[in-house]
Amino acid sequence: MFEAKRLHPAAIIFNLIKTIREFLFAIILGFITFRDESLLYFGLILAGLVIIFIVSSVLTWYRYTYRIEDDELRIEYGVFIRKKRYISKNRIQSIDLTSGIIHRIFKLTKVQIETAGSGTSAEASLSAVKLAEGEALRTELKTSASRQAAEGEFPEEIAEELNPSSTISFKRLFIAGTTSGSIGVIMALAAAGFSELEQFIPESFYDETLEWVIGLGIIIVMAMAIFILLLLWLLGIAGTMIKYGKFTITKTENELFITRGLLEKKQSTIPLKRIQAVGIQESVIRQPLGYVTVFAEIAGGSMDKGEDFSSILFPIMKRDEVELFLETFLPDYAGIQHELTPLPRRARKFYILRSSVLFLLIVAVVATFLPSFVWVPILLLMVGGIFLGWLRHRDGGFNVEGQRLTIRHRVFSRNTIMLYHKRIQAFEKKQHKVQRLQRLASMTLSIVGTMGTGTHFTIKDLEETHTDELSDWYSRRN
């Protein structure tokens, strides 16, 4: 791989899409501004911009080359100003392959290379290379010759034992979709989209539609609402199955290798040394059914991976299967502590009060716009706030076992976090006046998170003596 290579010509399409996306807001704003009188001029300007975008995309592709030489990935790019980037093999933390719909049509993949110093974007990104070429790059950059020789000495059966793998079943994938709770996200996105499109809808059409809906009668309106909710629920199921379809996790000597996605296939590498903590998440819907999600907090990385892709170790499994999963893939975190030191009873009132504040704000909004029906949300939301506060208090707790700390807390989902002393970057104790009178205190633990920023875990209203004991444990004071 010493000869400089260009990306696949399909990279021109990706460069063009990226450029248009960056200017999309300006294009929409220009259309709204000039749509009445100067639409012709706007069309001419837009045509000129498209030509410039196409020429720029072609030149960007032509001037972008990469090669591997002297244990380095060497990239040269730039149309007018040439830039050179050399990335040593020793600095590479992970190499991820992503294949979107267009990639899969041409049998291509996108290669993203991350180092410990990656910020908001990957250290290097090859937007379009042949799939075989991408896999060869990953092998060349991440696997040493000695390791290849060692792996070649083992029979296939032994290699499978050394590299255990687990794949999600269709049944579990369907359960993950039905219990994902994504219907709320879809409804929020739909509401936001409608609020943006509302200004383009003629007022007369809007009023006529509203009158037509009101004239249908309460039964038909309720049936339509149920149908829409069912449709959104099915869309949520489809979205989850597309996102996590064919989810497979494989362990190698020093890494976890994750593959997932039906339409957009993603392959991610997680070095074991970058795992800062392992967590078990139980949503309000999944907890009664006994299902959990296993995730990890990863140090470094970049925003290019998208929504929490690197942290999901397995999207859904039975609670009693987690121990075997950890023994297989992360034996250092096996031995889950179920009996934790609970929060004191006198802290319960603070949890209920804090949980009720959010619901009271929702009641205030409803009272402003629908004052005649305000008693309904008051009753429901107050009960919901009290119940959520009770759950948060009941589920909070901690356990110290040697160098490992287990903490459990809840916002809406219950999270059990397991981390080691050496991974904790900071310990903070907080105590306001009321807590001091009640002999309570809050603690916050900080670890290194995505992009090198801090990830924080907070448990409020612990016994003050317990907080001091945890502080002594962290500071290694006897």
Side-chain angles (χ1 to χ4, degrees), residues 215-384:
L216 291 176
I218 188 67
I219 302 298
I220 298 179
V221 171
M222 289 180 62
M224 291 176 61
I226 293 172
F227 174 77
I228 292 173
L229 290 175
L230 179 61
L231 180 62
L232 293 176
W233 180 59
L234 293 175
L235 288 175
I237 295 175
T240 301
M241 297 184 74
I242 290 172
K243 180 179 179 181
Y244 291 112
K246 298 182 179 179
F247 188 101
T248 302
I249 179 171
T250 303
K251 181 184 178 182
T252 60
E253 183 180 357
N254 300 310
E255 298 170 333
L256 295 177
F257 181 69
I258 295 175
T259 303
R260 62 127 169 134
L262 294 180
L263 294 181
E264 184 180 46
K265 184 179 180 181
K266 293 191 175 184
Q267 300 177 357
S268 180
T269 304
I270 302 177
L272 296 178
K273 63 182 180 181
R274 287 175 57 191
I275 296 179
Q276 306 297 300
V278 173
I280 303 168
Q281 185 180 78
E282 302 169 82
S283 68
V284 177
I285 301 174
R286 291 177 180 174
Q287 186 178 349
L289 301 175
Y291 288 101
V292 304
T293 298
V294 182
F295 66 94
E297 295 293 340
I298 312 298
S302 69
M303 294 296 291
D304 285 348
K305 288 187 176 182
E307 174 216 354
D308 73 1
F309 170 57
S310 63
S311 65
I312 300 297
L313 299 183
F314 212 82
I316 189 169
M317 66 173 57
K318 277 287 189 180
R319 190 184 296 114
D320 55 11
E321 296 172 351
V322 177
E323 183 63 32
L324 179 60
F325 176 85
L326 293 177
E327 288 177 357
T328 303
F329 295 96
L330 295 167
D332 290 342
Y333 292 90
I336 303 172
Q337 296 298 317
H338 298 285
E339 297 297 328
L340 307 182
T341 301
L343 300 175
R345 285 177 175 266
R346 61 183 182 278
R348 184 177 298 164
K349 54 182 175 291
F350 298 113
Y351 275 83
I352 292 176
L353 181 62
R354 281 192 295 266
S355 298
S356 301
V357 168
L358 173 63
F359 293 100
L360 288 174
L361 292 175
I362 298 174
V363 169
V365 173
V366 174
T368 302
F369 295 98
L370 298 170
S372 58
F373 297 96
V374 72
W375 63 271
V376 177
I378 285 179
L379 180 61
L380 295 176
L381 294 177
M382 286 302 296
V383 172

Side-chain angles (χ1 to χ4, degrees), residues 404-459:
R404 193 170 82 170
L405 172 64
T406 301
I407 59 175
R408 190 169 64 201
H409 64 93
R410 177 190 289 274
V411 179
F412 289 101
S413 299
R414 185 171 78 169
N415 295 288
T416 303
I417 312 296
M418 298 169 286
L419 66 166
Y420 280 88
H421 183 283
K422 63 182 180 180
R423 301 298 187 185
I424 302 174
Q425 301 295 313
F427 180 98
E428 183 179 9
K429 173 185 174 182
K430 294 181 181 179
Q431 191 178 42
H432 52 68
K433 281 189 175 182
V434 178
Q435 286 179 321
R436 194 174 296 116
L437 292 174
Q438 295 285 319
R439 302 186 308 281
L440 302 173
S442 301
M443 73 163 185
T444 300
L445 302 171
S446 302
I447 61 175
V448 178
T450 305
M451 297 186 299
T453 59
T455 299
H456 312 287
F457 305 107
T458 300
I459 300 183

